[in-house]
Amino acid sequence: MVTQPVSPGGDLETVVARARQLAIESGELLPADTPSYRAQVAEDVREFVLSIVRDGTYAAAIAELGRQDPDLANQ
Amino acid sequence: MAVVVDDALLLGVLAGAAPVEVQGTVYTTGLWNFRLGQALHPGASTEALARRLNQLAPERQRRVLPLVDELPPSIGLLSMRLLVPVIRQLDPAARLNLLAAEALATAYIVGASVLVATDAPLLRRACEAAEIEYSVTA
């Protein structure tokens, strides 16, 4: 996957640059050499997660949450 | 190289069960992280998912739920202190809800692409307008 350069314009560009600098200073912007997350879960837990994602149960759940709260809805 | 993932993909990453290989530094958003917890936790979970969770033995339930209780430090999450000023500058004509606005603002600040399990057309169009790579896994 290739990350595209982000070039917002005007005030947005200024605000994004400021936020990025603050994120670096606060440590919220992770260093580029941050090791990738490696899951360490039991096989049955992994299979449960796979099953609810693959069979649409998780998608149905978030759709229901979105109907209850529009700010949690996929737009 | 960084990628902002939605809650379904975050769950897959946390469980080592993502449908695609998620490369680079992984970020998510506060609301996607919150929605994942809302979906999975008993009492907060939706009917369909609650049924599936209830089919698990209590001992297995206790091993599933900690997955979403604490985000690992190697998965990025930006605070609202950083995000709000950027969200306020987003084009109001895009009519993004907070979930989508937070994702877009995170991608701007991190310089990341957005990877989701379920297409979100308004977020997709906002990413296209911002020249931020947006991909759907399903």
Side-chain angles (χ1 to χ4, degrees):
Chain A
M1 180 179 302
V2 177
T3 301
Q4 298 294 318
V6 174
S7 303
D11 289 343
L12 178 57
E13 186 172 13
T14 303
V15 171
V16 167
R18 172 72 176 150
R20 189 174 293 156
Q21 183 58 39
L22 290 173
I24 293 168
E25 292 170 4
S26 67
E28 292 183 49
L29 197 66
L30 299 176
D33 60 355
T34 299
S36 298
Y37 176 75
R38 291 281 175 260
Q40 294 181 326
V41 299
E43 185 60 22
D44 60 342
V45 172
R46 195 181 75 84
E47 285 176 6
F48 173 76
V49 168
L50 267 175
S51 71
I52 63 172
V53 171
R54 280 184 179 160
D55 69 10
T57 300
Y58 189 79
I62 62 171
E64 187 178 329
L65 287 172
R67 285 191 293 273
Q68 295 168 6
D69 181 348
D71 261 325
L72 294 181
N74 281 338
Q75 288 184 305
Chain B
M1 186 167 58
V3 60
V4 184
V5 300
D6 70 1
D7 47 344
L9 286 173
L10 175 62
L11 177 60
V13 168
L14 293 173
V20 296
E21 187 179 358
V22 180
Q23 294 180 329
T25 307
V26 176
Y27 286 77
T28 192
T29 70
L31 280 184
W32 273 333
N33 190 32
F34 172 71
R35 191 170 72 174
L36 176 58
Q38 286 292 97
L40 278 181
H41 267 278
S45 68
T46 60
E47 196 174 322
L49 201 41
R51 257 198 315 274
R52 294 291 299 278
L53 279 166
N54 287 334
Q55 290 168 359
L56 294 178
E59 187 272 335
R60 282 184 74 190
Q61 277 192 32
R62 281 194 293 272
R63 288 190 288 121
V64 170
L65 298 177
L67 275 181
V68 300
D69 282 343
E70 190 172 333
L71 205 59
S74 59
I75 294 180
L77 179 72
L78 300 185
S79 66
M80 277 293 171
R81 180 188 300 270
L82 299 175
L83 291 165
V84 166
V86 176
I87 290 172
R88 289 183 56 220
Q89 292 294 327
L90 298 179
D91 182 2
R95 302 187 62 80
L96 300 179
N97 65 3
L98 187 54
L99 187 88
E102 189 185 15
L104 183 61
T106 299
Y108 264 129
I109 295 169
V110 174
S113 56
V114 174
L115 182 62
V116 295
T118 305
D119 187 30
L122 291 189
L123 176 58
R124 171 170 30 89
R125 285 197 284 274
C127 286
E128 287 168 357
E131 298 183 354
I132 291 172
E133 184 176 321
Y134 173 95
S135 307
V136 183
T137 60

